[in-house]
Amino acid sequence: MRCLVISDIHANFPALQTVLVDAQPFDAVWCLGDLVGYGPNPNRCIERLLDFSLTCIAGNHDWGAIGRADLYVFNRDARQALYWTQNELTPENRAFLSDLPTTAKIDDFFLAHGSPRDPIWEYTVDLKTVTENFQTFDARVALVGHTHIPVLFEWVETNKQVRVLLPDWEEPIHLDERRLIVNPGSVGQPRDGNPRASYGILDTEARTWESRRVTYPVEITQEQMRARGLPQRLIDRLELGR
Ligand code: ZN
């Protein structure tokens, strides 16, 4: 099966639609949470994903948008965008977000938004956190989002350490039998200094992972955000990719 693995769409429909076209062909979409928040198209993004064979889990902004997370844990701009999102969501889409599980397991793959042990909130950034998390899931590979930074972490059993693998944008990598924590980056608000939408293609039979980037019309998203009165800092950061 060829899976499109996406995370942190953040209600950015132009970015999502560009990725869905660029990634073809694929059999299923695995979405690692934060469908909404920050961006201008929460309903459209949710409804578009329902066109596909979809496995989806919840992120912290999804919880914020349905009132399941205290909005005061978010920074001011994120909070303002979440208040706007709460008003904007249709009852159907609010119900969809409410029903999302916090983790999923498919074959050899464990899906979580933040980290395997703390799926909504923990960032898998520093090596201590990543190392600890390798002990907390049974599957060979965990797929996570939340940091908006595309990266692969490999568990090296011989020295019990984590190795950081930067994404290869040119060629798929073989997963082999390795234990990995893989982050596809963010579709709708990349933060690694590259404004292009980030995603991954996972081939579960060939056991390959492909990190990919695609340019989308950032200015259309920015224009929609302006029209909806979303915070200027959130508008500006999209073209910077940080
Ligand atoms: Zn996010």
Side-chain angles (χ1 to χ4, degrees):
M1 184 165 62
R2 200 176 136 89
C3 300
L4 166 59
V5 181
I6 51 177
S7 191
D8 298 278
I9 299 158
H10 285 297
N12 185 339
F13 185 78
L16 175 62
Q17 182 58 24
T18 301
V19 165
L20 290 169
V21 171
D22 189 62
Q24 293 285 348
F26 53 85
D27 306 301
V29 177
W30 295 358
C31 175
L32 307 175
D34 278 5
L35 286 73
V36 304
Y38 295 130
N41 319 111
N43 292 308
R44 249 182 125 187
C45 286
I46 294 170
E47 288 155 14
R48 182 71 179 108
L49 287 178
L50 297 176
D51 292 338
F52 301 91
S53 166
L54 177 69
T55 299
C56 189
I57 56 176
N60 54 321
H61 285 255
D62 303 319
W63 276 20
I66 57 168
R68 199 173 284 170
D70 178 359
L71 292 195
Y72 279 84
V73 302
F74 294 91
N75 69 45
R76 190 191 151 91
D77 292 331
R79 189 162 68 238
Q80 191 183 330
L82 282 169
Y83 281 128
W84 177 84
T85 305
Q86 287 184 345
N87 277 327
E88 186 73 9
L89 281 174
T90 65
E92 294 76 17
N93 291 335
R94 193 171 300 119
F96 172 82
L97 294 178
S98 302
D99 289 343
L100 292 178
T102 56
T103 63
K105 188 163 178 219
I106 308 170
D107 306 329
D108 209 11
F109 301 92
F110 186 84
L111 281 57
H113 178 66
S115 73
R117 71 174 171 192
D118 183 358
I120 297 294
W121 297 104
E122 187 174 53
Y123 290 90
T124 42
V125 178
D126 65 283
L127 290 185
K128 179 171 178 289
T129 303
V130 174
T131 301
E132 289 167 6
N133 266 284
F134 268 110
Q135 323 307 325
T136 65
F137 63 99
D138 293 332
R140 202 160 285 156
V141 177
L143 301 169
V144 301
H146 196 36
T147 65
H148 299 208
I149 307 280
V151 67
L152 298 89
F153 299 106
E154 179 184 359
W155 177 253
V156 183
E157 183 59 32
T158 45
N159 60 6
K160 307 251 186 276
Q161 280 187 356
V162 171
R163 192 156 70 108
V164 181
L165 308 169
L166 296 179
D168 184 337
W169 306 109
E170 308 296 322
E171 264 193 62
I173 67 149
H174 283 271
L175 303 178
D176 302 316
E177 302 301 305
R178 292 184 283 178
R179 292 204 74 216
L180 297 160
I181 296 177
V182 180
N183 191 321
S186 169
V187 170
Q189 194 201 75
R191 290 182 194 162
D192 59 340
N194 178 346
R196 305 175 87 202
S198 185
Y199 68 96
I201 296 285
L202 173 68
D203 188 320
T204 59
E205 273 116 51
R207 291 191 70 77
T208 56
W209 171 266
E210 204 178 334
S211 298
R212 291 175 70 164
R213 289 316 264 264
V214 61
T215 302
Y216 74 94
V218 175
E219 65 289 352
I220 293 179
T221 304
Q222 290 178 314
E223 187 50 49
Q224 293 170 343
M225 290 172 77
R226 240 172 256 122
R228 289 155 179 69
L230 289 163
Q232 187 62 41
R233 203 182 73 88
L234 299 181
I235 298 171
D236 292 340
R237 73 188 299 180
L238 290 182
E239 70 197 55
L240 305 171
R242 61 177 82 249

